[in-house]
Amino acid sequence: MDYQKTASEVVENIGGKDNVAHLEHCSTRLRFTLKDDSKANMDKLELIDGVMGVRKNVQMQVIIGNEVVEVYDKVKEIVGDVASSSEKSGGPKQKWSAVVLDFIIGVFQPTIPAVAGGGVLKSLLLLFNMFGWMNPESQTYQVLDLIGSAPLYFLPVIVAITAANKLKVNAVVAASAVGALLLPGMTTLLGEGASLFGIGIQEIAYSSQVFPALLLVLFYAVCERFFTKISPKAIRIFFVPLMSLAISVSVTLLFLGPIGYVVGEQLSALILFIYGNVGWVATGLLAAVLPFMVVTGMHKAMIPYAVSSMSGIGREVLYLPASLAHNISESGACFAVAIKTKDEKLRATAISAGISAFFGITEPALYGVTILHKRVLYSVIISSLISGSFIGIMAVEAFALVGPGLASITMFASPDNPMNLTWAFVTFALSLCLSFIATLILWKDETEHVEEEKEVFNTNQRKPELMNSPVEGTIIPLSEVKDEVFSKGMVGAGFGVKPSVGELRAPADGTISMVFETKHAVGMEMNNGAEVLFHIGIDTVQLEGKYFEAHVQKGDNVSAGDLLVTFDIQAIEAAGFDTTVISVVTNQDDFAVSQDVTNEPVSTNQSVMTVSPIGG
């Protein structure tokens, strides 16, 4: 991959560096918070070399895979400090739920490397103790154990820094405010029954507590902005932190701290209640739906719970065990595809993705293999459900917050239950074998059918075909379409139609090869092998499926005139979008087109273009 080229094209198609309000990355994705979401071109982002996929929910997520760090570094060079200097502005106003989720992900996602590193170190020490390789009474063991404990102990300070960065306030002062809660002297004072302004302070051990820290920083941000606004510039450098520190820490000790403590305790109690009553069922079902959660990025919503559980009770009993079952199921399925396929490109992708999933990173497997082949997806779901239920029945617990895989399997080492790690290994093997066998049985290599039918296809089907208009309206040359990607023939040759009826119909006999998730675009392979893309409107991907209804799905055989998609012309135009329906033959190296009609009204039973195989 050319990292610089990929990064440049990504920045260009998210609306440029000036459209970036916040930038971060996880293990496989670039995560952008944009000032104006409408400026991003998701269609073009999907086509960039090195981009595995694009998802838009709370953030604009560009899936890169294992090389995300290298691309992130290049993007950061282009974007510079712009990503930390501006808030969202312009474009449609975000829902409050989207804003909250974006904030939560932005705060907790950056904490994971530190928590994961410390947790795995402690789990390795437990493993060494179990095998008799290290004495827990030795000073070496105790020093290393304290090093591993540091990220969780100081997690409130880490959260203070990430929250302050997200809120665009002084991170050093925010960390100092939270640090006041962790001072040994403060802990001693609270234990003796301290009071402030005559009001008793509740005794709470604030180490490892994330919600009190989060509430403190939120209140601190309000104080900092208020005092910055009213403070004379001559004394602002000390007056703003002075007042903000004194007030925010005092209010937290009296009110916000106890509230945050109760929230964290109740959240952990709720999960433990669910686990105690329907534990193995919940673990199995969560493992089965994780492919869909990861694809949409919604698995990140589990991070606050996992962090709270790990910091509060020192273990996690639901999400991480379910993730082990799912991660290794993805790996086994990919290895089965690699063995069975005759497609060299798919084999290479499956091997690479399988290895990544084997070590706990599943996005390459999901985007490169699983979601592209529904029988592979079924195999992963079956394996995840069974192995997830098994690990739930065995009540396996995780002791480190890291993606479960072979390298991090020691995260399941328990100081009190040696069988905890054993059952994790059994789940690992069960997931790998189940998904591998299920994929071998259920999945059929599409290249086998292509080879079987190739000779018949070449002799009987590669002939010129007439193509009707897919919609009623006025046909125009492709050069008049108001989108350079299409008008300059970058995607393929064809035509546009200004629709008068909101019905997209098959222009010839063939097979549906793709229905875009937002239903504004459909791919079809005609019987002579021509691949046709129908794109309803310009930039209508931004509507996210609103005003569109698909009547076919990938793999359906259709005849000329069959209804493919219905769309509301008036509503789309009212939303400010051009409704021109574009039809292009995308494999233009193999097919030539000649337009028979232009600049006149057309109907869906009227031939408008001839598609001929080159050399056919």
Side-chain angles (χ1 to χ4, degrees), residues 58-59 62 85 101 131 249 252 265 273 286 297 299 329 384 426 503 505 534 556:
V58 177
Q59 297 173 312
V62 181
S85 63
L101 189 56
F131 289 146
V249 175
T252 299
E265 291 293 300
F273 173 79
L286 178 58
H299 64 303
S329 293
S384 298
V426 173
E503 295 179 349
R505 295 185 177 272
F534 308 108
D556 285 354

Side-chain angles (χ1 to χ4, degrees), residues 465-483:
E465 279 198 37
L466 297 176
M467 179 174 162
N468 295 339
S469 174
V471 291
E472 290 188 17
T474 302
I475 191 168
I476 60 173
L478 195 63
S479 59
E480 294 182 13
V481 171
K482 298 176 182 178
D483 186 325

Side-chain angles (χ1 to χ4, degrees), residues 43-57:
D43 287 343
K44 291 182 181 179
L45 283 169
E46 294 269 9
L47 299 174
I48 295 172
D49 183 35
V51 173
M52 302 177 68
V54 180
R55 290 292 179 273
K56 173 69 181 76
N57 40 52

Side-chain angles (χ1 to χ4, degrees), residues 251-570:
V251 171
T252 299
L253 286 170
L254 293 173
F255 308 109
L256 299 180
I259 292 173
Y261 177 77
V262 170
V263 169
E265 291 293 300
Q266 292 303 312
L267 179 60
S268 297
L270 176 62
I271 297 297
L272 290 174
F273 173 79
I274 294 173
Y275 183 76
N277 289 272
V278 289
W280 67 272
V281 175
T283 309
L285 290 176
L286 178 58
V289 301
L290 269 175
F292 307 101
M293 293 181 67
V294 175
V295 162
T296 58
M298 293 308 297
H299 64 303
K300 297 299 181 184
M302 297 292 292
I303 292 176
Y305 147 70
V307 170
S308 175
S309 178
M310 201 65 68
S311 61
I313 60 177
R315 65 188 189 278
E316 200 282 312
V317 296
L318 181 62
Y319 174 57
L320 294 174
S323 294
L324 176 66
H326 166 245
N327 292 356
I328 308 307
S329 293
E330 292 282 356
S331 179
C334 285
F335 289 142
V337 169
I339 289 174
K340 197 171 181 181
T341 186
K342 294 181 180 179
D343 185 328
E344 291 299 325
K345 184 176 180 181
L346 177 58
R347 178 179 291 116
T349 299
I351 291 173
S352 174
I355 292 172
S356 293
F358 201 69
F359 288 93
I361 305 297
T362 58
E363 276 92 340
L366 278 161
Y367 290 104
V369 180
T370 305
I371 64 173
L372 301 179
H373 306 277
K374 62 182 180 181
R375 289 179 179 267
V376 178
L377 177 60
Y378 297 157
S379 302
V380 170
I381 292 173
I382 292 169
S383 173
S384 298
L385 178 63
I386 296 173
S387 53
S389 299
F390 174 80
I391 200 171
I393 292 172
M394 295 299 106
V396 174
E397 301 173 335
F399 295 88
L401 184 55
V402 62
L406 181 62
S408 58
I409 194 70
T410 56
M411 65 189 288
F412 296 102
S414 170
D416 305 315
N417 180 15
M419 289 303 294
N420 196 73
L421 181 60
T422 301
W423 290 125
F425 271 113
V426 173
T427 302
F428 189 105
L430 181 65
S431 303
L432 192 70
C433 294
L434 280 176
S435 61
F436 184 85
I437 295 170
T439 303
L440 286 179
I441 295 172
L442 295 178
W443 184 68
K444 291 180 172 50
D445 188 6
E446 295 172 3
T447 58
E448 294 178 2
H449 303 290
V450 171
E451 292 297 325
E452 292 171 1
E453 297 174 2
K454 190 173 183 180
E455 184 177 349
V456 175
F457 175 78
N458 285 334
T459 56
N460 297 334
Q461 293 183 278
R462 290 183 62 84
K463 57 186 181 182
E465 279 198 37
L466 297 176
M467 179 174 162
N468 295 339
S469 174
V471 291
E472 290 188 17
T474 302
I475 191 168
I476 60 173
L478 195 63
S479 59
E480 294 182 13
V481 171
K482 298 176 182 178
D483 186 325
E484 288 189 355
V485 174
F486 290 106
S487 63
K488 292 185 177 181
M490 297 180 190
V491 180
F495 57 89
V497 178
K498 292 186 177 297
S500 57
V501 178
E503 295 179 349
L504 178 73
R505 295 185 177 272
D509 296 346
T511 304
I512 300 302
S513 58
M514 179 273 291
V515 178
F516 204 76
E517 62 181 352
T518 52
K519 297 167 283 189
H520 75 291
V522 176
M524 172 182 166
E525 183 176 342
M526 296 170 60
N527 284 343
N528 68 350
E531 297 170 358
V532 185
L533 172 67
F534 308 108
H535 196 285
I536 305 172
I538 308 296
D539 292 332
T540 46
V541 65
Q542 297 176 24
L543 293 172
E544 299 182 345
K546 193 175 182 181
Y547 310 130
F548 297 90
E549 182 179 357
H551 299 276
V552 291
Q553 57 186 355
K554 181 180 178 181
D556 285 354
N557 294 317
V558 294
S559 301
D562 285 354
L563 184 62
L564 306 182
V565 178
T566 52
F567 54 99
D568 190 330
I569 297 175
Q570 288 74 26

